[in-house]
Structure formats: structure tokens, C-alpha cells
Amino acid sequence: MNILHLKYMLEVERLGSITKAASKLYMGQPNLSKAIKEIEQEIGVEIFKRTVKGVVPTEKGREFLKHAQNILAEMDKIEALYKNDSVDRVDFRILIPGGGYISHAFTLFLTRLEKKKTVDINLIESDSLQTIDLVADSEYELGIIRYSKQFDKFYSSILDEKKLVSTEVWSYDRVVLVSKRCPLALQQSVTSDMLSDLMEITDETDRKNSDGKLVIVNNQATAISILSLTDDAYMWSCPLPEQELERYGLVQLNCSDLKKTYCDLLICRKEHKLNQTQLLFLDELNKVRHSIEKTL
């Protein structure tokens, strides 16, 4: 049994499925099942109980997985000690919501890194609940979660339960994005009635279809790409920087009767202290936010 095996086990626990975990780990399902069986035989404990819906940890299995999680967290700390001692290396890992101003800030952040340094950077798009779990489990040091302000208490209670701290990155009203060729592009603002005849494009994969026209894609970047080529469509979004709007030929408009405030929070574990690289990214993020606010 080694560190990689512990990671396998925790991924199976997180997804509740050997098949899904194998896909996520880019390995065959039979190989993962064999690895689990060998570890169970090695320690003499059944870690997972198979059910018709997948797998769940046994009582002894939960104890084992908790120890595995602690071991991996300590290994990350040890690894970070040596990485931080290297002045010629940049390590940065973060989970973010899809696309938007955060991705733009990340691109600008990359241009500020010293060219001579070795770079190990990991930017992953993730939903809010998954981001919370991965940061709480020490798989990532930082994450940015996004949610409607009406769910403030819900997310606050989860962060407290997971012993995570948060800093607000931005609270904003969603905007409506349309192509520059759309008839609404010349308006100063729009209303819900003005949108009713247009096709809505969204990356919210859990949205249910309505009486209108709805196109669901699996990420914001794809949705924006489709929108840029469609004259009779719109999309709800966080405000975007002018450079991104120009790049895709889009216009962003306020909707006077459907205002919905969203909040983006930076989260990390309570004991985590931001390093210089992370502070550099946040500095770029704040600059992009301020530049967008001047245009709204």
C-alpha cells in the first residue's frame, strides 16, 4: 500500500462509485477494483460495502479513510515545505467557477510570473460544493465558490462545518450577454419581456426546460462561444471585462426587473496562510474586478 492507493480510496469514497472514480483517475475499473481488494486483504478490513447504487464505507472503512485523509494532508504539508524553499519554482493550484472575469484575471496573472522559474500550475473549474469538499480535504489550498446571495446562510453553515474561512471576492448583479448583432445590443438595459422571444443559452446543467427556448451546454466558455455566433440568443453571466466582450463580439446589459445578486468567495482552511504567488493572483483578480465595475 502506498500514497497513490490512499488517493484511490478517497476518490472512491468521494464519488460513491468505483466506476466513476476509475474514470476520474484515468484508469480501468477492473484495475481499481483489484487495488481496493488487495488493500482490504492487506489490512484485513472491508473498507467499502457494495450496494445497488454504488459503494459506501463500512464503519471500519470510515476510520481507515479518515486516517488516509490525514496522512495525505501531512504529505502535502511536507511537500510544500520543500517547494517553498525553492526560489526558482512557482506552485499554484486553485478551483474556480466556470469562465468569466476570474479566468481573465488568471491569464493576466500568468504574464506576471517570472519567466525563468519552473511553473507547476493547476486551474480547475468546479461547482461550489465540490470545491468546498476538495479544499476541506486538503486536495487544494484555495478555491472560489459562487452562489446566489439568497443562499448565504446555507453556504456559511457548510464552511463553518468544514472549518473553512472565506473572503468575499465580489458581489454583483448578473448581466445579460447578447451578440453585438442582436437587436437588443443597442439597448441601455432590458426587461424579461424583451428576452421572452430569444433563445437562452446556459451552462447550468441542472436547469429544467421551460416554455421558452433553452440550450444547455456543459461549461461557460462553450456557451459564450455559441452565443457569439447567434443573433437571437442571450445568456446570464457574471459581468465580463471589456477585453472578453470584444474578443467574442458581445454586449452586456442590465435587466431591470430580474436582478439577482451573486457572491464569489475565496475559501481556504483556517490554518492556511497565503503565499506570495497566491497574493499575486488575488491582486490581479482585484484589478480586473475594479476595471469591470468602472464600466457597469
Side-chain angles (χ1 to χ4, degrees):
M1 182 168 54
N2 57 40
I3 295 298
L4 193 57
H5 290 140
L6 300 183
K7 291 182 178 179
Y8 289 169
M9 295 295 200
L10 290 173
E11 191 68 11
V12 172
E13 179 194 26
R14 186 175 71 83
L15 296 174
S17 164
I18 295 176
T19 301
K20 290 180 180 178
S23 176
K24 197 78 174 178
L25 294 164
Y26 302 103
M27 64 187 301
Q29 185 267 336
N31 291 335
L32 182 56
S33 294
K34 181 181 178 182
I36 293 172
K37 186 175 181 180
E38 289 175 349
I39 294 171
E40 288 178 330
Q41 290 175 344
E42 182 178 342
I43 65 176
V45 169
E46 184 184 28
I47 300 172
F48 294 108
K49 179 170 60 178
R50 281 68 174 172
T51 71
V52 292
K53 294 183 178 181
V55 295
V56 295
T58 62
E59 184 176 348
K60 288 288 187 182
R62 281 194 294 270
E63 293 179 10
F64 172 86
L65 293 166
K66 186 63 179 177
H67 287 302
Q69 181 178 313
N70 292 337
I71 289 170
L72 290 178
E74 290 301 318
M75 289 297 296
D76 285 342
K77 290 178 183 178
I78 292 171
E79 188 175 310
L81 287 175
Y82 289 99
K83 285 182 177 179
N84 290 339
D85 284 342
S86 175
V87 295
D88 295 323
R89 183 181 180 91
V90 173
D91 291 285
F92 183 76
R93 305 175 76 230
I94 190 169
L95 299 156
I96 66 168
Y101 74 100
I102 301 175
S103 295
H104 184 74
F106 178 78
T107 302
L108 298 176
F109 154 75
L110 290 179
T111 66
R112 293 181 61 183
L113 298 178
E114 294 184 32
K115 307 301 182 186
K116 294 181 179 180
K117 290 190 175 183
T118 301
V119 175
D120 184 2
I121 291 179
N122 197 337
L123 178 77
I124 300 293
E125 291 188 3
S126 172
D127 65 63
S128 294
L129 293 178
Q130 184 180 43
T131 294
I132 290 172
D133 285 340
L134 291 174
V135 173
D137 292 343
S138 300
E139 294 191 39
Y140 282 78
E141 291 181 336
L142 295 182
I144 296 177
I145 63 173
R146 173 173 297 160
Y147 60 84
S148 172
K149 285 287 284 184
Q150 63 183 312
F151 298 115
D152 257 339
K153 291 184 178 179
F154 172 76
Y155 279 97
S156 178
S157 65
I158 293 180
L159 294 175
D160 286 342
E161 178 187 335
K162 299 284 188 177
K163 296 181 173 55
L164 300 176
V165 293
S166 65
T167 302
E168 183 176 294
V169 176
W170 197 11
S171 286
Y172 54 85
D173 290 331
R174 292 191 306 173
V175 296
V176 174
L177 298 179
V178 296
S179 165
K180 284 184 175 181
R181 297 184 300 276
C182 176
L184 295 183
L186 298 177
Q187 302 291 327
Q188 294 297 316
S189 65
V190 294
T191 64
S192 54
D193 287 341
M194 297 166 70
L195 299 174
S196 59
D197 292 331
L198 300 182
M199 175 171 57
E200 181 183 356
I201 300 174
T202 180
D203 62 337
E204 298 173 9
T205 54
D206 58 347
R207 279 278 299 279
K208 294 182 179 179
N209 209 339
S210 61
D211 295 334
K213 305 172 185 177
L214 184 68
V215 176
I216 300 175
V217 297
N218 65 352
N219 65 71
Q220 192 184 56
T222 302
I224 287 179
S225 179
I226 294 171
L227 180 64
S228 68
L229 300 173
T230 311
D231 298 351
D232 60 345
Y234 73 96
M235 176 180 172
W236 289 102
S237 171
C238 63
L240 297 181
E242 288 292 338
Q243 297 94 323
E244 291 295 299
L245 295 172
E246 287 296 327
R247 176 185 177 190
Y248 290 103
L250 301 176
V251 174
Q252 58 188 11
L253 305 166
N254 293 316
C255 186
S256 58
D257 63 340
L258 278 180
K259 286 187 178 295
K260 195 169 186 180
T261 303
Y262 273 71
C263 184
D264 288 356
L265 294 183
L266 177 76
I267 64 171
C268 63
R269 296 181 299 281
K270 288 184 177 180
E271 68 275 11
H272 179 70
K273 293 183 178 180
L274 297 175
N275 59 40
Q276 290 301 312
T277 303
Q278 293 166 344
L279 290 171
L280 184 66
F281 169 73
L282 294 179
D283 179 60
E284 205 59 55
L285 193 60
N286 284 326
K287 287 180 180 178
V288 170
R289 174 174 60 83
H290 288 314
S291 70
I292 298 174
E293 287 175 332
K294 292 178 182 178
T295 66
L296 296 177

